[in-house]
Amino acid sequence: MRYRVLGGTGIQVSVHCLGTMMFGSVGNPDHDDCARIVHTALDRGINFVDTADIYSAGESEVIVGKALRGRRDDVVLATKVHFPMGEGPNRGGNSRRWIVRAVEDSLRRLGTDWIDLYQVHRPDHTTDVEETLGALTDLVRAGKIRAFGCSTFPAEEIVEAQHVAERRALGRFRTEQPPYSLLARGIENAVLPVCQRYGMGVLVWSPLASGFLSGRYRQGAAVDLTAGRPALTPARFDPALPGNAAKYAAVEKLVALAEEIGCSLPELAVAFTVAHPAVTSAILGPRTLDQLDGLLKGAALALDDAVLDRIDEIVPPGANLYQPDGAWAPPVLTDPARRRRPPAERAAA
């Protein structure tokens, strides 16, 4: 396993990161089995583990904490804050009030005295970014966290946060964690260039496009929309929907390319993400040990320029064939009132 520097921090992290979103009630409720996944990943050279307080309502952090007992010093541990963790208007978001509370909760669940990388899971337009950066900077000074970053932020908000940090002499986001895959290359337009501009590390999530690049879903084959990933987001997998035609067509071409170079589709998918010069690490989110083993088989796969050119022909650079689950949708797009004048003011005369 190779290692890369995480966003100018000097911290060396493995090019594959173990993601634990599937640990706990949402995915694999067997704590011992999840611990075996963690230990296998560490034994195979992965030293980077990513979780979040929201994953299985904190259960994932508990599992990770138990699995890392006796090995904590060897691991770069990342978690996140933002999503609501209970009832009440102030038990979520990016305010100082919540961040200071949430980090203590994560430290307790993880059974550790410090977090190596603490990430803001999504933007929060109700909170001034200066408030968020100030709270995170104080946590670094207090020794609670070593560095902090953001996740699924649009390019313009990453830039704003960098400028605020410089103007106010605050710590800055050292990393960004965006969705990136063979089918969702939109971050190549602005997010990745911005991260390179500011020397930020990039941890990409969903390299298998929420399971669409697992090799299980093929053009012309029946899809069970009542089980697994399709049950969670049937509109993404339903071959009868016109919007999915381009994805299924692209998958067939990518499967053929993978077979041509002697690898599996998941191996091709992960290798593609870490070939980009802006990407530090790709997050693998296995639910089972077999899934982890399958993904790690392709760790040594290096795609040459000819293969990358073929991929560009199948899915053009910067193109999204689908909108990744959980990708940030700004209020100016989701709230019609933000993009419509009052009816009486819409006419030009």
Side-chain angles (χ1 to χ4, degrees):
M1 183 63 63
R2 290 179 174 171
Y3 302 87
R4 295 171 178 171
V5 178
L6 184 65
T9 63
I11 301 172
Q12 299 274 341
V13 296
S14 49
V15 177
H16 284 172
C17 172
L18 178 66
T20 63
M21 188 179 74
M22 300 306 293
F23 288 7
S25 59
V26 170
N28 187 344
D30 187 329
H31 289 205
D32 291 337
D33 192 39
C34 292
R36 284 189 286 272
I37 294 172
V38 173
H39 297 158
T40 299
L42 300 185
D43 292 342
R44 297 284 291 274
I46 290 176
N47 75 338
F48 199 9
V49 177
D50 178 77
T51 186
D53 56 4
I54 192 63
Y55 295 163
S56 293
E59 187 182 3
S60 175
E61 287 186 326
V62 171
I63 294 170
V64 169
K66 290 192 297 185
L68 292 183
R69 287 174 187 167
R71 305 185 73 169
R72 174 66 184 91
D73 289 341
D74 299 324
V75 174
V76 179
L77 181 58
T79 191
K80 311 180 196 73
V81 61
H82 169 79
F83 287 107
M85 291 292 291
E87 299 295 330
N90 293 308
R91 292 182 60 80
N94 301 346
S95 69
R96 173 182 288 272
R97 186 181 193 276
W98 177 242
I99 288 173
V100 171
R101 165 67 184 275
V103 75
E104 296 293 346
D105 291 343
S106 286
L107 288 167
R108 172 177 48 79
R109 287 189 292 263
L110 290 164
T112 186
D113 295 326
W114 82 98
I115 293 164
D116 294 291
L117 177 64
Y118 198 48
Q119 300 157 99
V120 180
H121 215 154
R122 293 293 187 277
D124 175 6
H125 287 158
T126 69
T127 304
D128 193 312
V129 71
E130 181 179 347
E131 176 85 359
T132 302
L133 293 174
L136 294 168
T137 300
D138 288 345
L139 290 177
V140 171
R141 291 169 178 163
K144 304 285 186 180
I145 64 176
R146 298 295 186 255
F148 54 88
C150 52
S151 175
T152 321
F153 273 46
E156 64 272 16
E157 299 209 18
I158 297 173
V159 172
E160 179 188 3
Q162 294 287 334
H163 286 181
V164 168
E166 182 177 4
R167 289 197 307 268
R168 301 300 187 189
L170 297 170
R172 64 188 183 90
F173 288 139
R174 289 290 190 172
T175 62
E176 159 62 9
Q177 186 179 136
Y180 187 43
S181 73
L182 286 164
L183 302 180
R185 302 181 60 176
I187 63 169
E188 294 174 348
N189 290 301
V191 170
L192 291 184
V194 162
C195 290
Q196 288 177 295
R197 168 67 180 81
Y198 291 105
M200 298 172 65
V202 176
L203 298 63
V204 297
W205 57 267
S206 199
L208 298 188
S210 296
F212 209 90
L213 294 172
S214 66
R216 296 176 57 190
Y217 309 104
R218 301 290 299 275
Q219 195 172 46
V223 178
D224 182 359
L225 300 177
T226 65
R229 291 277 191 174
L232 298 175
T233 53
R236 168 160 301 168
F237 294 87
D238 189 349
L241 297 179
N244 290 332
K247 291 189 300 181
Y248 277 104
V251 165
E252 292 306 307
K253 295 177 182 178
L254 292 168
V255 167
L257 177 58
E259 292 175 348
E260 184 178 324
I261 65 175
C263 71
S264 69
L265 179 59
E267 290 170 359
L268 176 70
V270 175
F272 165 77
T273 62
V274 298
H276 195 288
V279 174
T280 309
S281 187
I283 298 174
L284 311 181
R287 182 177 53 83
T288 67
L289 190 56
D290 285 344
Q291 289 177 353
L292 176 65
D293 286 337
L295 291 169
L296 290 180
K297 286 179 181 177
L301 177 62
L303 305 182
D304 61 26
D305 288 344
V307 172
L308 292 172
D309 288 343
R310 294 273 298 280
I311 290 172
D312 288 348
E313 294 172 359
I314 297 169
V315 182
N320 274 345
L321 296 189
Y322 78 102
Q323 185 69 3
D325 283 338
W328 174 245
V332 292
L333 296 181
T334 59
D335 181 2
R338 298 283 294 271
R339 47 188 168 80
R340 296 174 183 174
R341 291 181 179 272
E345 299 177 10
R346 293 176 189 171

